[in-house]
Amino acid sequence: MSAYNEVDRAVNEAATYWIARKWAFLNQANEEFMTFVDPAVCYKDCLQENDVAMVNMCFSEWALFERPLRRGLTPLEVFVDTPPVGTDARTVELLRQVIATQFFSRFAILDKDAQSHIAVLRDVRTDCRYDVFTPRVCNNERWHRGSIAMRIARAEGAWQAVGQVYLYDVAPVQSDAVDGPGEMHPEDYLIKPEAEFMGFYMRMLRDTFGIEGRYHESARLREVAA
């Protein structure tokens, strides 16, 4: 099994564990998520299945990787801190590596190779370059220029995609490099100051899918094969 598949399996194992115990945090976390992001799809007269699936996927990624559950630890960190009975040491070690390095950002797509599944990405927020193993980005021919917002982590010496949310923007990165989606906007300090503490991922979701988001009018939801 490749390191990528091992990491994917480990993250899914932790996610499945917490899905079965969602009663421990779901209600409060869901209220926080919905209040801040305020998804535009929730204002439709008739929600489509893909709308609900996208909101659930976005929420799940935030809840697993970013939202504190107890003692300031996220569900993923709690899983590693006190592994459930039967969890093998390899899973714990891989998740430790993911926790130590994972982050969500917006990346300019510099190059990609469909055979190796390596995409050369530049973080538009830090200007750092990453060679990332990501079949989903490399196999999508439409995702060629522009930027992709996604979560990556370094495990077993290599960067790879570890999240389920991919937000592609066809616009040139230079067009919104200073005050683009996910960043703090001047008006936020007056009307939504809590945005400063919600993190880039949540601000990105608010900007693209929130009813008052800067970019929600042009955002489109599409199911993309892995």
Side-chain angles (χ1 to χ4, degrees):
M1 181 184 291
S2 70
Y4 174 77
N5 289 329
E6 282 192 291
V7 170
D8 191 54
R9 176 195 57 77
V11 172
N12 285 335
E13 182 176 333
T16 300
Y17 173 85
W18 284 113
I19 288 172
R21 293 158 180 78
K22 58 187 178 183
W23 50 265
F25 63 92
L26 181 62
N27 289 341
Q28 184 177 350
N30 186 66
E31 182 178 352
E32 292 174 14
F33 180 90
M34 298 299 285
T35 297
F36 183 77
V37 177
D38 201 9
V41 297
C42 294
Y43 291 84
K44 290 183 177 180
D45 292 333
C46 183
L47 279 174
Q48 300 297 313
E49 185 176 344
N50 66 324
D51 293 335
V52 176
M54 184 63 178
V55 171
N56 287 341
M57 183 170 62
C58 291
F59 167 78
S60 297
E61 182 158 330
W62 171 68
L64 182 66
F65 285 98
E66 298 190 6
R67 184 186 182 272
L69 174 62
R70 64 178 73 130
R71 306 191 313 277
L73 302 178
T74 66
L76 195 61
E77 291 169 331
V78 172
F79 186 92
V80 168
D81 189 56
T82 53
V85 174
T87 305
D88 64 76
R90 175 66 172 169
T91 295
V92 173
E93 172 55 29
L94 289 172
L95 291 178
R96 285 191 193 280
Q97 294 180 48
V98 169
I99 289 169
T101 59
Q102 68 85 19
F103 68 101
F104 185 93
S105 193
R106 194 162 140 262
F107 303 90
I109 302 173
L110 304 182
D111 193 14
K112 62 182 185 177
D113 181 71
Q115 291 187 331
S116 67
H117 291 156
I118 299 294
V120 181
L121 307 176
R122 178 177 60 81
D123 189 336
V124 302
R125 309 188 73 212
T126 65
D127 211 32
C128 292
R129 170 186 151 150
Y130 299 88
D131 295 340
V132 182
F133 185 86
T134 169
R136 185 165 296 183
V137 171
C138 291
N139 290 339
N140 194 317
E141 295 181 357
R142 293 193 305 270
W143 295 355
H144 185 56
R145 300 298 180 188
S147 65
I148 187 75
M150 56 188 284
R151 189 177 304 275
I152 67 174
R154 185 177 176 86
E156 299 298 275
W159 288 97
Q160 63 183 64
V162 292
Q164 295 297 311
V165 177
Y166 294 76
L167 304 176
Y168 176 71
D169 189 353
V170 70
V173 172
Q174 295 83 354
S175 64
D176 54 18
V178 176
D179 190 20
E183 302 298 344
M184 280 292 291
H185 310 306
E187 64 271 19
D188 289 337
Y189 294 98
L190 296 176
I191 63 176
K192 214 171 185 73
E194 67 272 24
E196 185 175 3
F197 307 101
M198 295 303 290
F200 181 77
Y201 175 73
M202 286 285 274
R203 293 196 300 266
M204 171 69 79
L205 295 183
R206 174 206 58 176
D207 278 350
T208 51
F209 299 127
I211 189 65
E212 296 182 352
R214 281 188 170 194
Y215 306 93
H216 96 267
E217 292 289 351
S218 59
R220 298 291 182 269
L221 299 180
R222 290 191 177 93
E223 184 176 355
V224 179

